Amino acid sequence: MQALGRCRHRAFSALAAMTSPAVPLVNGVSRHVVAALVANTATTVAEITNLFCARGYNVDSIVVGRTSVPDLIRLSVVVHGSDHNVSMMQQQLHDVVQVAAVKILTTPDRAHALVERDLLLAKVSLQAYPQALMTVNRLVAQFNATVVDTSTTQTMVQLTASPTDVDAFLHALGPLGVLEVHRSGVVAMDKEQAVTERTLNFAFDRHHPGDMDAVDSTMLPPG
């Protein structure tokens, strides 16, 4: 539980710092997005998170979402590590019985083969100067964001975009005074064909032995 607590602290600290570097870091450490289909149980996410943290990975965010298959949920995990270490982690995750399929979406030869989105809600002060609201509206239009609430002293904006665009939007809002920020963490999807026969067999052989003939392949979420 201590390792899990440390990992959660790092994840939330990273989100609060509003950093989502998309380029290699120092000493061969890079940012990686890992997608996984895992069993929908009460302990699965904690066990997988603990596995990452016990091996010293710096976890930026973990996003969990339901899928059209009730027994499976999808994880999108953003971690920092060397290409070799993250590849080893992929193999170790395959050995966890609750994990049906794992894929590293970010590799050097597939730099543009995925789509990433991060949802931002931010409260911005309107008291920095008289034209603050005009500035907010200009930035909202520039970044294709949305104003979701406004009062006499502050406004709340929403943006769904790539992590780098969200970072840029927050940076532009900074001089106005950003009062509160919440980011969902990164969800990502491969641009390639979502469902493969290998993924189908692997996922359902582990969670529905003998039921493959009764499963429509279109029910399996991207993996």
Side-chain angles (χ1 to χ4, degrees), residues 124-127 150-155 179:
V124 183
S125 173
L126 297 179
Q127 298 179 303
T150 300
S151 70
T152 57
T153 59
Q154 65 184 33
T155 185
L179 304 175

Side-chain angles (χ1 to χ4, degrees), residues 32-36 52 75-79 86 90 93 102-106:
H32 294 272
V33 180
V34 181
F52 273 102
L75 297 184
S76 294
V77 185
V78 179
V79 297
V86 173
Q90 180 185 24
L93 284 172
V102 184
K103 187 172 186 179
I104 300 173
L105 300 182
T106 47

Side-chain angles (χ1 to χ4, degrees), residues 25-137:
L25 303 179
V26 296
N27 299 324
V29 176
S30 302
R31 174 181 177 273
H32 294 272
V33 180
V34 181
L37 289 172
V38 304
N40 186 9
T41 70
T43 61
T44 299
V45 175
E47 291 175 6
I48 292 174
T49 303
N50 195 42
L51 182 63
F52 273 102
C53 296
R55 286 157 178 78
Y57 287 89
N58 184 9
V59 179
D60 269 7
S61 66
I62 299 176
V63 178
V64 182
R66 292 179 295 178
T67 71
S68 55
V69 180
D71 290 346
L72 296 176
I73 56 177
R74 181 184 174 100
L75 297 184
S76 294
V77 185
V78 179
V79 297
H80 293 281
S82 68
D83 293 345
H84 173 73
N85 287 344
V86 173
S87 179
M88 291 294 294
M89 174 59 70
Q90 180 185 24
Q91 297 177 27
Q92 291 168 342
L93 284 172
H94 273 305
D95 293 334
V96 178
V97 69
Q98 295 93 340
V99 175
V102 184
K103 187 172 186 179
I104 300 173
L105 300 182
T106 47
T107 58
D109 59 331
R110 304 178 67 254
H112 304 289
L114 76 158
V115 174
E116 297 182 58
R117 290 294 179 264
D118 191 359
L119 171 64
L120 164 76
L121 287 175
K123 290 179 183 175
V124 183
S125 173
L126 297 179
Q127 298 179 303
Y129 48 85
Q131 293 79 30
L133 182 57
M134 293 178 58
T135 302
V136 171
N137 289 335

Side-chain angles (χ1 to χ4, degrees), residues 202-216:
F202 192 32
F204 281 96
D205 278 350
R206 300 190 78 170
H207 296 288
H208 297 275
D211 289 346
M212 283 297 297
D213 293 339
V215 175
D216 181 356

